Amino acid sequence: MPHGHGHSHDHGGCSHEATDVDHALEMGIEYSLYTKIDLDNTECLNEETDGQGKTVFKPYERRRDLSKFVQSDADEELLFNIPFTGNVKLKGIIVSGANDDSHPNRVKIFKNRPKMSFDDAKAKPDQEFELTRDSRGEIEYSPKVVTFSSVHHLSLYFPSNFGDETTRIYYIGLRGEFTEAHYHGVTICNYESRANAADHKENAFDGVGRAVQ
């Protein structure tokens, strides 16, 4: 279920401001997974302008910056293919758009399915959420941690909005834990330095991840 990040305020002015600042700093740290995205290989299908989709992955404190956004082109659908530079345990998602009918009303989430197409997105997602209009970036959706505990590639499919011809998104925030990818192929070279590398190459990369594809 979506929930807002609310917090209580003291009546004193100083503690009131301090609480707001502390909360913003805390959220900025928690929503830092955008720094672990392989942006060079990130793609957004049906974006109106090439490269627009990548701009919605930005610091939490810039989530209300309306100068950077992605808008759909031919219809209201948008599909993001997001590879990470390691493994992620995904714990929270924020989707922020305009306070109008261009805001997406649903997201379907797929893990570890690189290069998804719109045809692929017709498959059953690992999880999906009905979205609420959120122009301030305050509503968090909580994926099932068990399902999204080892994610090296995330696909977000927005099939529809609240009734507009095109969809617009200003910010997508991702919260969770990040683990660096470890490549065991190097270890194989260390203790079998005279072995034929070709004999081991396929197996070595098979075990560690398609994260490098």
Side-chain angles (χ1 to χ4, degrees):
M1 293 292 292
H3 59 276
H5 281 284
H7 53 273
S8 60
H9 296 297
D10 295 328
H11 292 294
C14 293
S15 59
H16 199 241
E17 292 177 11
T19 304
D20 286 341
V21 172
D22 291 345
H23 178 72
L25 288 172
E26 177 188 335
M27 292 300 294
I29 293 170
E30 289 192 9
Y31 271 87
S32 60
L33 277 184
Y34 72 94
T35 64
K36 307 303 182 183
I37 294 173
D38 179 3
L39 278 179
D40 288 341
N41 292 304
T42 296
E43 60 180 0
C44 178
L45 304 188
N46 197 38
E47 58 185 359
E48 184 181 50
T49 304
D50 287 347
Q52 267 190 339
K54 298 178 182 182
T55 68
V56 304
F57 302 103
K58 52 193 174 185
Y60 177 81
E61 56 269 22
R62 288 174 51 202
R63 68 195 185 283
R64 297 173 190 166
D65 175 6
L66 305 186
S67 66
K68 304 287 187 183
F69 61 88
V70 61
Q71 184 158 315
S72 63
D73 187 16
D75 53 30
E76 71 275 22
E77 294 179 276
L78 285 169
L79 173 59
F80 291 85
N81 283 313
I82 310 161
F84 294 103
T85 57
N87 284 314
V88 166
K89 180 184 289 186
L90 187 65
K91 295 182 175 181
I93 297 176
I94 293 175
V95 178
S96 181
N99 190 25
D100 60 27
D101 289 347
S102 70
H103 195 295
N105 67 351
R106 182 178 295 273
V107 61
K108 298 185 178 185
I109 311 173
F110 301 85
K111 71 167 187 177
N112 301 341
R113 304 191 206 183
K115 298 291 184 182
M116 285 190 70
S117 67
F118 284 114
D119 284 340
D120 297 328
K122 294 174 183 175
K124 182 180 179 181
D126 292 292
Q127 193 166 357
E128 70 177 291
F129 294 102
E130 290 187 9
L131 302 178
T132 301
R133 285 189 184 90
D134 182 17
S135 61
R136 297 179 59 81
E138 295 178 338
I139 299 174
E140 180 185 82
Y141 302 88
S142 301
K144 300 171 187 172
V145 177
V146 173
T147 303
F148 294 93
S149 62
S150 184
V151 181
H152 58 74
H153 185 284
L154 188 69
S155 295
L156 301 177
Y157 173 47
F158 299 91
S160 54
N161 57 32
F162 285 92
D164 208 329
E165 292 183 358
T166 57
T167 296
R168 180 177 288 202
I169 297 173
Y170 289 105
Y171 172 74
I172 296 177
L174 302 173
R175 179 173 70 86
E177 299 173 13
F178 176 81
T179 306
E180 295 284 352
H182 297 289
Y183 301 104
H184 302 297
V186 176
T187 306
I188 291 173
C189 293
N190 286 343
Y191 65 80
E192 285 189 14
S193 57
R194 298 182 63 187
N196 185 346
D199 294 339
H200 298 278
K201 185 176 181 181
E202 183 177 350
N203 290 335
F205 280 92
D206 223 17
V208 292
R210 303 169 173 93
V212 297
Q213 296 301 318

